[in-house]
Amino acid sequence: MDAIARSAGFEEYYGMEDFPVVLDYPDPSASDFGWDYETLMFVSGKLAQTKGPFLAYVYTGTTHEPFTRLPPRFEKRTPGSLTEDGFLNTLSYADWSLGEFMKKAEQADWFKDTIFVFVADHPLGKFGVTSPLDRFHVPLLIYAPGRIKPGTNAVVASQLDLFPTLVDLLGFEDPFSALGDSLLRKQDGYAFVMAGSIVGMVGKEGFLTHSLKNRLDSGAASGSPPPAYFDALEKKLLATDQVVYELLQSNRWAPP
């Protein structure tokens, strides 16, 4: 994480060992990924000292399994390190922590000019999966008062679309390269997903996963798409993976 932050150009990087624990956790050292409240309050303090435009990235992990014990006021369900109730306890705590951060942000001079992006790095796993496509569902919320009207966007998208969306929101007009599309303009599309050596493509009518040698799995969102749909999805998936490979090889960080 330190190396990634440095290569991405961040001037400052902090880890969980830098955040003082302030709440009454049963075991302050139990969270493998740190505590969300302490993380967000530390970041809030740093941003209060920041002058001019900034880009800040925060990774929170209290909701990651194993789910740790929380102060009693947050444990509204039976605690469990790998249970849905244990997850929901941490989710309630994470939501409260984020709310406390936003209360402080709303009082800052930079608030009205800031775009907030809340996104997960992977799906929830086994919780909340009621359909095949839920296996790929990653929550995304973009909050920018005065720039974006409240609403929802049901277009199929992925994290690849975040960068061009931010470029669009910030009003940049310089040329740039990206595999995704701005969600402010995207009408219909696909989501390219990865899990280790397995890649996949999700469309409006279904999904397909692949080992780059063989088709592994496929499923429909609803109804029964014709076989030609999955054949086209497979071709698009393999073509996208090839483009990603070629771009990575030509990237200035890649070795010759």
Side-chain angles (χ1 to χ4, degrees), residues 43-100:
V43 172
S44 179
K46 286 294 178 181
L47 294 182
Q49 305 169 20
T50 302
K51 303 290 184 181
F54 62 82
L55 170 66
Y57 173 87
V58 185
Y59 173 84
T60 60
T62 306
T63 53
H64 198 290
E65 58 184 38
F67 311 120
T68 50
R69 294 295 303 270
L70 298 163
R73 62 186 180 278
F74 297 110
E75 294 190 330
K76 301 176 182 179
R77 295 171 178 259
T78 303
S81 62
L82 297 173
T83 65
E84 185 171 7
D85 280 349
F87 165 69
L88 292 173
N89 283 337
T90 61
L91 189 61
S92 177
Y93 158 83
D95 185 64
W96 171 81
S97 300
L98 185 57
E100 294 300 296

Side-chain angles (χ1 to χ4, degrees), residues 107-130:
Q107 300 172 7
D109 293 337
W110 45 260
F111 176 77
K112 64 181 184 303
D113 299 317
T114 301
I115 298 170
F116 298 87
V117 180
F118 308 97
V119 63
D121 59 339
H122 60 73
L124 294 177
K126 60 185 178 182
F127 304 127
V129 176
T130 59

Side-chain angles (χ1 to χ4, degrees), residues 36-37 58 90 102 107 116 131 183 241:
D36 288 5
Y37 179 73
V58 185
T90 61
M102 293 304 296
Q107 300 172 7
F116 298 87
S131 71
L183 295 177
D241 182 78

Side-chain angles (χ1 to χ4, degrees), residues 47-250:
L47 294 182
Q49 305 169 20
T50 302
K51 303 290 184 181
F54 62 82
L55 170 66
Y57 173 87
V58 185
Y59 173 84
T60 60
T62 306
T63 53
H64 198 290
E65 58 184 38
F67 311 120
T68 50
R69 294 295 303 270
L70 298 163
R73 62 186 180 278
F74 297 110
E75 294 190 330
K76 301 176 182 179
R77 295 171 178 259
T78 303
S81 62
L82 297 173
T83 65
E84 185 171 7
D85 280 349
F87 165 69
L88 292 173
N89 283 337
T90 61
L91 189 61
S92 177
Y93 158 83
D95 185 64
W96 171 81
S97 300
L98 185 57
E100 294 300 296
F101 171 81
M102 293 304 296
K103 287 178 183 177
K104 290 183 175 295
E106 288 174 343
Q107 300 172 7
D109 293 337
W110 45 260
F111 176 77
K112 64 181 184 303
D113 299 317
T114 301
I115 298 170
F116 298 87
V117 180
F118 308 97
V119 63
D121 59 339
H122 60 73
L124 294 177
K126 60 185 178 182
F127 304 127
V129 176
T130 59
S131 71
L133 290 185
D134 286 338
R135 292 163 48 192
F136 308 100
H137 184 216
V138 176
L140 166 66
L141 173 67
I142 300 177
Y143 180 58
R147 292 175 179 265
I148 302 179
K149 295 181 180 180
T152 59
N153 187 338
V155 68
V156 176
S158 77
Q159 287 141 327
L160 292 174
D161 298 313
L162 281 177
F163 174 55
T165 301
L166 289 175
V167 171
D168 209 356
L169 282 170
L170 292 169
F172 293 153
E173 297 181 355
D174 294 334
F176 68 94
S177 298
L179 288 169
D181 299 302
S182 171
L183 295 177
L184 302 183
R185 306 172 189 272
K186 194 173 186 179
Q187 299 298 317
D188 195 8
Y190 300 86
F192 179 66
V193 297
M194 298 182 65
S197 60
I198 298 174
V199 295
M201 184 69 72
V202 181
K204 191 173 183 179
E205 297 183 60
F207 75 92
L208 182 142
T209 59
H210 212 281
S211 69
L212 298 181
K213 293 182 179 180
N214 302 295
R215 187 185 298 188
L216 299 176
D217 191 16
S218 61
S222 61
S224 300
Y229 173 79
F230 294 103
D231 292 340
L233 209 58
E234 182 176 28
K235 290 180 180 179
K236 186 173 184 64
L237 168 61
L238 296 176
T240 302
D241 182 78
Q242 182 63 32
V243 170
V244 171
Y245 173 79
E246 292 176 357
L247 290 176
L248 287 174
Q249 293 301 305
S250 62

